[in-house]
């Protein structure tokens, strides 16, 4: 059988999870997906962060994605593209475990697994609930990651970075961007889940496990949602990296509106789309990997619980 061929099992209702499908299995599937997603595309995420920094140091001014990549690898070495990845690995596992467990639970409760019709409200609501729960866990790790990604960062490890941020800025520094993060990730996730569910049902109306469908639908949904929410991502980056800034206005930025006014003052409205290319380039393969990994792991656990062949 070709790798992309749908797997047909008559008694296997893939979308409707069986009653004995455990929360632990769901969370393991989500953790596997999160780690796979973030590690593969991490260098592009670093490029996005560098390009979004407001008033960067002279050595961190880039004319575009290619220039950023060549400049960083030439001056700082290729290994610098992976600075801070440990924080993502540590945080992404539990955060995505909660993410997908919440997603499946809310979608099931709202009737989103019924075969008869498309359920955009269930998809959007389950996505929004999932991101509120997971971002509460992931936000501190995301702050540490971006602090280690900025040009000239002296942080040697996630523990050292966390201690320094806490000592100089307090616990609130890990959550100062959380409201902005939710303002971005709730619509991002709602858009992504709605698009993913819709594209999946168009491509695969029988709703059986099909790796090609999950990969294509995940990539398209992620790119669509990432492009629309780029302005909020730029604001989030400013808030999460403010402690590394030399500009007093940026260091004292305390919320979404203040950060937005700084960006507009420095760059105009175009400043809200700084780094949109690497954001979309990161999002499309990342969400393709995430959904493919999650659906593969979910299929594995469901088949085991049903006593079916895994292959």
């Amino acid at each position: 059988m070709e790798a992309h061929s749908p797997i047909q099992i008559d008694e296997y209702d893939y979308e409707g999870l069986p009653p004995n499908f455990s929360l632990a299995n769901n969370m393991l599937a989500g953790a596997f997906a999160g780690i796979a997603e973030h590690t593969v595309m991490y260098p592009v995420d670093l490029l996005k962060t560098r390009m979004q920094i407001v008033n960067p140091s002279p050595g961190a001014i880039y004319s575009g994605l290619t220039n950023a990549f060549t400049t960083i690898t030439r001056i700082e070495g290729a290994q610098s593209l992976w600075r801070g990845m440990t924080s993502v690995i540590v945080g992404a596992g539990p955060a995505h475990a909660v993410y997908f467990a919440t997603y499946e639970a809310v979608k099931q409760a709202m009737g989103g697994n019924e075969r008869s019709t498309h359920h955009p409200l269930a998809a959007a609501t389950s996505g929004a609930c999932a991101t509120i729960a997971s971002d509460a866990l992931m936000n501190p790790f995301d702050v540490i990651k971006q602090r280690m990604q900025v040009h000239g960062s002296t942080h040697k490890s996630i523990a050292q970075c966390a201690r320094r941020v806490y000592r100089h800025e307090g616990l609130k520094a890990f959550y100062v961007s959380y409201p902005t993060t939710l303002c971005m990730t709730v619509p991002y996730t709602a858009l992504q889940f709605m698009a993913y569910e819709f594209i999946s049902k168009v491509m695969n109306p029988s709703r059986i496990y099909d790796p090609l469908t999950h990969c294509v639908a995940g990539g398209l949904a992620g790119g669509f949602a990432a492009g629309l929410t780029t302005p909020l991502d730029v604001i989030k980056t400013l808030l999460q990296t403010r402690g590394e800034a030399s500009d007093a206005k940026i260091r004292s930025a305390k919320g979404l509106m203040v950060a937005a006014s700084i960006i507009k003052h420095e760059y105009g409205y175009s400043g809200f789309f700084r780094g949109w290319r690497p954001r979309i380039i990161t999002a499309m393969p990342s969400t393709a990997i995430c959904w493919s990994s999650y659906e593969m792991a979910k299929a594995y656990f469901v088949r085991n619980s049903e006593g079916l062949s895994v292959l």
Side-chain angles (χ1 to χ4, degrees):
M1 180 182 291
E2 296 182 1
H4 64 269
S5 299
I7 300 174
Q8 185 73 52
I9 304 177
D10 292 338
E11 68 272 32
Y12 173 42
D13 180 3
Y14 170 68
E15 292 292 337
L17 296 176
N20 61 337
F21 188 75
S22 72
L23 176 63
N25 286 345
N26 208 335
M27 296 183 78
L28 281 172
F32 172 67
I35 293 172
E37 169 193 357
H38 287 287
T39 54
V40 172
M41 296 305 299
Y42 188 83
V44 185
D45 180 71
L46 181 139
L47 298 179
K48 173 192 73 75
T49 297
R50 292 287 188 95
M51 292 176 70
Q52 288 181 341
I53 297 292
V54 177
N55 288 340
S57 59
I61 299 174
Y62 313 110
S63 60
L65 183 62
T66 303
N67 175 253
F69 175 78
T70 55
T71 301
I72 292 169
T73 53
R74 185 181 72 253
I75 297 175
E76 302 175 47
Q79 74 279 2
S80 63
L81 294 172
W82 302 93
R83 285 180 57 85
M85 190 181 72
T86 308
S87 178
V88 167
I89 293 174
V90 172
H96 276 67
V98 171
Y99 183 87
F100 281 106
T102 305
Y103 161 67
E104 291 289 359
V106 176
K107 189 174 76 163
Q108 181 71 29
M110 295 189 67
N113 288 327
E114 295 176 5
R115 287 176 172 269
S116 55
T117 58
H118 178 49
H119 301 277
L121 180 61
T125 304
S126 59
C129 292
T131 199
I132 290 170
S134 66
D135 281 348
L137 286 175
M138 191 64 191
N139 210 80
F141 294 99
D142 202 40
V143 171
I144 294 168
K145 177 201 74 173
Q146 291 200 312
R147 294 294 182 96
M148 296 182 72
Q149 285 179 335
V150 299
H151 178 261
S153 172
T154 58
H155 303 300
K156 302 298 183 184
S157 67
I158 61 172
Q160 182 264 337
C161 180
R163 285 195 300 269
R164 182 174 174 182
V165 172
Y166 178 75
R167 187 184 314 120
H168 292 284
E169 302 172 57
L171 184 63
K172 65 181 181 181
F174 295 104
Y175 284 96
V176 67
S177 64
Y178 184 56
T180 303
T181 298
L182 290 183
C183 287
M184 178 192 72
T185 54
V186 168
Y188 170 80
T189 310
L191 288 168
Q192 182 200 147
F193 279 45
M194 286 173 64
Y196 176 77
E197 295 286 348
F198 175 75
I199 297 168
S200 294
K201 289 181 180 180
V202 170
M203 291 185 64
N204 183 20
S206 60
R207 301 178 70 180
I208 54 179
Y209 174 62
D210 179 13
L212 180 63
T213 294
H214 303 311
C215 182
V216 173
L220 292 176
F224 168 71
L228 291 179
T229 56
T230 296
L232 289 163
D233 188 53
V234 176
I235 295 171
K236 177 178 76 78
T237 296
L238 184 147
L239 291 171
Q240 292 192 163
T241 59
R242 65 177 191 164
E244 308 296 318
S246 57
D247 190 319
K249 296 195 307 296
I250 297 173
R251 290 186 67 89
S252 61
K254 295 187 181 299
L256 188 153
M257 299 307 297
V258 175
S261 67
I262 293 172
I263 293 166
K264 183 177 181 298
H265 179 264
E266 294 289 336
Y267 302 105
Y269 288 107
S270 63
F272 292 101
F273 290 91
R274 289 166 60 85
W276 70 269
R277 287 186 180 90
R279 176 165 165 79
I280 292 175
I281 290 171
T282 302
M284 291 189 71
S286 291
T287 49
I289 292 166
C290 182
W291 280 109
S292 298
S293 302
Y294 174 68
E295 301 286 9
M296 179 180 70
K298 189 173 82 170
Y300 172 85
F301 287 126
V302 170
R303 285 182 198 148
N304 275 0
S305 68
E306 293 280 321
L308 302 172
S309 172
V310 175
L311 302 177

